[in-house]
Amino acid sequence: MKKSLLAQSVALACLAAAAGGAQAVSFTQNDVTLDINGTINGFYVNRESKTTVAGGPETKTQNSALTNGLLPGWINFVVTTKAADQDIKAHFSFAPGINDSSSVVGLPSTVGTGAGAVPGASSPYSQIDVRNVYFQFGNNDWGTLKFGRDIGLFGQNIILSDMTLLGVGGTSNAGIPFNTTFGMIGHGYMYTGFQAQITYTTPNFDGLQASAGIFQPSSFAGDQTKTPGFQAKVDYDWKGMAPGKVWGGLITQSTSCSKGSTCDGTGTNPDKSFTASGYEIGAKASMNNFGAVAYAFTGKGLGLSTVGAQFFGGSDGLGNKTDSKGYFLQGTYQYNKTKFGINFGQNKDNDGILGAGNERKNKAYTLGVYHSLNKFVTLVGELNQEKITSTVDDSETKNRTLSAGAILFF
């Protein structure tokens, strides 16, 4: 039985899944097929933030925004063919957003690098993210090889299982300039990202399938990346009265200091190497109209999980690695064309870039309602409550985000 148009579109937009996904337009010339599909969304967001530092007075801000959700706009071009018993696929995608950061309608107000030296943070123009640029070939006998840029392996399954993928979730102020909010990223899991890679995926053995690949390395410590990053995951899917999936994954990346560098800070600064690593385990299942997801991860040098981006803040620069861990739980209920859901997650970081003995913790929950108006349009409403605590500055921040809008898949 074919998946619904919504499910196929989400899978193709986020995972570049099977070439038989939904398409708005399809062209076939000789033995080559071009499929085009995409998604657009828009949300009204009201965000209230309260912060106290070291027992001082509370500061409070409240803002409204019209923004993208966790998904940006997205247009996909997927080419498929078959030659010499090999299934061949190529995928290009472009992901624009609906926002710019100018406070003047129709005119730029700032240009260049914005606050925090983030490129594009004060760009007056909407950004375009090229997320998928890859090709792959293979068959059901020996598997598939992929070359190019696509979604990562570590953290892939959990973001595709997060109900806020269709909505906003938390960290809604990230919509500008990055075209997306964070959903529950940073509150139960880390963002997998879209990364340059060469990946091998095995054939599917009665629901059991594995993928492993080398990835563009990141300099989380030191100034050399002699070897690529490595990621792998194993999935087992089953059908029946309670269909579901269990999975496990890992990620590792090594960096080093060049001779004479000061990243160890002692002696004659000899060569020194560092290794970041992360491990994950997850499960999801459904029965009748109920669905559930459970997930956990741990990382060392992997990055500030409370920010959510891999290798951002994984070390203090001298090789003292940030320790991270998190967990995520979700339950949903489908009633006719409407899905009701709640999820909760927490990420915690210690030491490393925070300083020895320091801790930062994010926890949040989301209540969501997702109504399928028709096979193309889903109406979405969410409430997200977030709490951030840090011993670095003895601060506590509470954010409340209300969002309402719609998402279109075609």
Side-chain angles (χ1 to χ4, degrees), residues 96-110:
I98 68 173
N99 298 103
D100 59 42
S101 60
S102 175
S103 59
V104 181
V105 175
L107 293 173
S109 58
T110 55

Side-chain angles (χ1 to χ4, degrees), residues 43 51 100 175 224 248 256 300 304 325 327 343 373 385 406:
F43 295 89
T51 301
D100 59 42
Q224 294 184 135
S256 61
K300 194 172 184 65
L304 282 168
K325 63 181 66 175
Y327 66 90
N343 59 27
L373 187 65
Q385 292 279 168

Side-chain angles (χ1 to χ4, degrees), residues 12 16 34-37 74-79 89-95 129-135 149:
L12 186 56
L34 170 64
D35 294 328
I36 305 173
N37 68 85
W74 215 322
I75 185 76
N76 292 279
F77 302 88
V78 182
V79 176
K89 174 182 176 181
H91 182 186
F92 291 88
S93 79
F94 304 94
D129 185 3
V130 181
R131 295 195 164 194
N132 309 96
V133 186
Y134 72 87
F135 78 94
R149 177 181 174 88

Side-chain angles (χ1 to χ4, degrees), residues 1 10 57 80 87 106 115 168 194 222 254 269 286 312 356 360 384:
M1 181 178 293
V10 170
T80 56
D87 297 314
V168 171
F194 289 78
S254 294
N269 305 314
S286 61
F312 178 80
R360 179 175 175 176
N384 179 272

Side-chain angles (χ1 to χ4, degrees), residues 7-158:
Q8 288 178 322
S9 299
V10 170
L12 186 56
C14 302
L15 186 56
Q23 65 275 340
V25 181
S26 182
F27 305 94
T28 300
Q29 178 68 35
N30 297 324
D31 56 353
V32 177
T33 298
L34 170 64
D35 294 328
I36 305 173
N37 68 85
T39 179
I40 304 172
N41 65 74
F43 295 89
Y44 168 73
V45 175
N46 187 284
R47 186 173 190 267
E48 179 182 271
S49 181
K50 299 177 181 179
T51 301
T52 57
V53 179
E58 179 183 85
T59 60
K60 177 180 176 181
T61 59
Q62 187 169 3
N63 294 287
S64 291
L66 279 299
T67 179
N68 282 116
L70 178 51
L71 285 176
W74 215 322
I75 185 76
N76 292 279
F77 302 88
V78 182
V79 176
T80 56
T81 189
K82 188 167 185 175
D85 294 325
Q86 303 295 313
D87 297 314
I88 302 170
K89 174 182 176 181
H91 182 186
F92 291 88
S93 79
F94 304 94
I98 68 173
N99 298 103
D100 59 42
S101 60
S102 175
S103 59
V104 181
V105 175
L107 293 173
S109 58
T110 55
V111 295
T113 301
V118 178
S122 59
S123 169
Y125 308 110
S126 173
Q127 307 296 299
I128 297 179
D129 185 3
V130 181
R131 295 195 164 194
N132 309 96
V133 186
Y134 72 87
F135 78 94
Q136 65 183 47
F137 62 91
N139 57 42
N140 292 330
D141 294 328
W142 64 269
T144 302
L145 276 171
K146 177 188 295 181
F147 300 81
R149 177 181 174 88
D150 196 19
I151 193 169
L153 299 180
F154 184 84
Q156 179 188 122
N157 287 339
I158 186 60

